[in-house]
Amino acid sequence: MVQSVKFENSGRENLLKKIMQDTFAGYAVILLFCMYLTVFLASFISPYSKEYSNRNKSYCPPSKIYIINEKGRLSKPYTYNYRRYFDKENFNAKYIEDRSKKYFVKYFSKGQDGKRHFYDVEKGGELYLLGTDINGRDNFSRLLYGGQISLTIGFLALLISFPLGLLYGGISGYIGGKTDFIMMRIAEAIMSIPGFYLLIILASVLPANMTSVQRFMLIVVILALIGWAGFSRVVRGMVLSIKKKEFVIASEAIGSSELRTIIHHILPQTMSYVIVAITLSVPSYILSESGLSFLGLGIQQPEASWGNMLKEAQEFINIVSRPWLLTPGFLIFAAVLSFNVIGDTIRDILDPNSIEKNK
């Protein structure tokens, strides 16, 4: 038992080091770090603001950046604007580069919105790294702003669901008896509610005049309140075995209250499972928000999230001729996969049965 506790404490202290030693988990940590850093600095990295829109450049393809001039020599990065014309044969709008004027890329300068950006283009120029959407909005900028919602909604929901699940499961397992029976039946009743369909129903009846921020916070609360029950059942099972250990009996013997014993002595022993559960739960919240926004029941336009941005790619013509609209889907896939890889690695590290494997 002493060796197990010693290993567990050592595993917690060197957790990040052990994660980085795993090749795939290390890459996943780096990828997630880059994602969160870029969305945190969205207003600085993105060349355009949230409100930017150019209706004359609807579905404009990604801008091409050149570093070789006409003479074949290295040059400062530059681009050309696109000129829109109507293709009478295919009855659709197309774009060609207007090579009459170059627009050089600038770095760490004030953009056309008056704010300082990591990169921008000379006045009169247009730079769309990932093209534009149907409203002529820069997809790259919207990906960064949309990531602020899609990547943070999971952690905000966890701030509600995990403390609630921990305390609920801890009290149920520690007290036992009829209290435990009633509390677990309530948890099972909540678990039996089909979460995604409940979200669809609730989101569809929300008032139309709600702001995107209000809708966002309500979705967070709904996701959290239907996600804690399953977590509390697992915690309750762990508490049933932990409460019989010597340090818990010693705490009771010196007169500690039940709540103090649960919070200070029992629940900290479940932290290994909690860490794994957090990393594996965040992807489900990201997918839930993306699914709701994709269906038009989550974050509403003109606010951006990866889910409602991906909605434009559901048309076959857009998938074939405008593949840059699929970028939000790849980012959702990369974020979810990274969290799952990290969660599986942490589970292997903190699993007592994996001591020999992790030596």
Side-chain angles (χ1 to χ4, degrees), residues 161-180:
S161 63
F162 270 61
L164 181 59
L166 266 174
L167 191 59
Y168 190 92
I171 293 174
S172 177
Y174 182 76
I175 295 178
K178 292 183 178 180
T179 303
D180 177 37

Side-chain angles (χ1 to χ4, degrees), residues 195-220:
F196 191 74
Y197 298 107
L198 174 65
L199 284 170
I200 292 177
I201 294 172
L202 292 176
S204 62
V205 299
L206 292 178
N209 59 353
M210 288 186 67
T211 66
S212 292
V213 175
Q214 292 172 333
R215 185 178 291 268
F216 171 73
M217 295 308 300
L218 189 57
I219 291 174
V220 168

Side-chain angles (χ1 to χ4, degrees), residues 201-253:
I201 294 172
L202 292 176
S204 62
V205 299
L206 292 178
N209 59 353
M210 288 186 67
T211 66
S212 292
V213 175
Q214 292 172 333
R215 185 178 291 268
F216 171 73
M217 295 308 300
L218 189 57
I219 291 174
V220 168
V221 173
I222 294 172
L223 286 173
L225 292 181
I226 65 176
W228 64 267
F231 175 68
S232 69
R233 280 183 58 84
V234 179
V235 172
R236 175 251 186 188
M238 299 177 68
V239 171
L240 286 175
S241 61
I242 295 173
K243 72 177 185 178
K244 299 177 182 179
K245 293 187 176 181
E246 291 86 349
F247 62 88
V248 177
I249 298 174
S251 175
E252 295 171 343

Side-chain angles (χ1 to χ4, degrees), residues 110-175:
K110 286 188 177 181
Q112 299 175 16
D113 58 357
K115 297 180 180 179
R116 192 170 296 277
H117 296 276
F118 173 65
Y119 74 93
D120 201 355
V121 69
E122 289 181 330
K123 187 175 182 180
E126 298 165 346
L127 182 58
Y128 308 122
L129 292 183
L130 292 174
T132 64
D133 63 7
I134 191 172
N135 295 309
R137 296 173 296 195
D138 179 45
N139 272 321
F140 180 72
S141 299
R142 284 175 58 79
L143 280 174
L144 296 182
Y145 289 115
Q148 293 178 338
I149 291 177
S150 297
L151 291 178
T152 58
I153 192 169
F155 290 104
L156 292 176
L158 291 177
L159 290 177
I160 300 174
S161 63
F162 270 61
L164 181 59
L166 266 174
L167 191 59
Y168 190 92
I171 293 174
S172 177
Y174 182 76
I175 295 178

Side-chain angles (χ1 to χ4, degrees), residues 34-224:
C34 293
M35 281 187 174
Y36 279 95
L37 181 63
T38 52
V39 300
F40 177 75
L41 299 175
S43 60
F44 172 67
I45 297 176
S46 60
Y48 299 99
S49 64
K50 286 183 179 181
E51 297 77 19
Y52 173 83
S53 176
N54 185 352
R55 295 301 180 97
N56 295 322
K57 293 297 172 68
S58 175
Y59 289 139
C60 182
S63 301
K64 297 178 182 178
I65 299 178
Y66 300 91
I67 58 173
I68 304 295
N69 60 23
E70 297 84 352
K71 298 179 181 180
R73 297 178 181 177
L74 281 174
S75 169
K76 290 177 59 178
Y78 65 91
T79 186
Y80 297 105
N81 284 348
Y82 280 104
R83 181 166 54 85
R84 186 178 182 179
Y85 73 97
F86 185 75
D87 185 355
K88 295 181 179 179
E89 293 183 2
N90 299 311
F91 294 99
N92 60 1
K94 289 190 176 182
Y95 290 90
I96 58 173
E97 284 186 323
D98 181 3
R99 300 210 168 205
S100 61
K101 184 177 181 181
K102 298 178 182 177
Y103 296 93
F104 289 94
V105 179
K106 303 181 297 181
Y107 299 97
F108 303 103
S109 61
K110 286 188 177 181
Q112 299 175 16
D113 58 357
K115 297 180 180 179
R116 192 170 296 277
H117 296 276
F118 173 65
Y119 74 93
D120 201 355
V121 69
E122 289 181 330
K123 187 175 182 180
E126 298 165 346
L127 182 58
Y128 308 122
L129 292 183
L130 292 174
T132 64
D133 63 7
I134 191 172
N135 295 309
R137 296 173 296 195
D138 179 45
N139 272 321
F140 180 72
S141 299
R142 284 175 58 79
L143 280 174
L144 296 182
Y145 289 115
Q148 293 178 338
I149 291 177
S150 297
L151 291 178
T152 58
I153 192 169
F155 290 104
L156 292 176
L158 291 177
L159 290 177
I160 300 174
S161 63
F162 270 61
L164 181 59
L166 266 174
L167 191 59
Y168 190 92
I171 293 174
S172 177
Y174 182 76
I175 295 178
K178 292 183 178 180
T179 303
D180 177 37
F181 178 82
I182 295 173
M183 293 179 72
M184 284 300 101
R185 299 298 80 76
I186 294 173
E188 288 170 359
I190 295 175
M191 289 173 61
S192 66
I193 300 173
F196 191 74
Y197 298 107
L198 174 65
L199 284 170
I200 292 177
I201 294 172
L202 292 176
S204 62
V205 299
L206 292 178
N209 59 353
M210 288 186 67
T211 66
S212 292
V213 175
Q214 292 172 333
R215 185 178 291 268
F216 171 73
M217 295 308 300
L218 189 57
I219 291 174
V220 168
V221 173
I222 294 172
L223 286 173

Side-chain angles (χ1 to χ4, degrees), residues 4-22:
S4 177
V5 173
K6 182 178 180 181
F7 169 75
E8 187 176 356
N9 292 335
S10 175
R12 290 173 184 170
E13 293 172 0
N14 302 316
L15 183 59
L16 181 59
K17 181 179 179 181
K18 289 176 179 285
I19 292 174
M20 297 305 294
Q21 287 175 349
D22 184 281

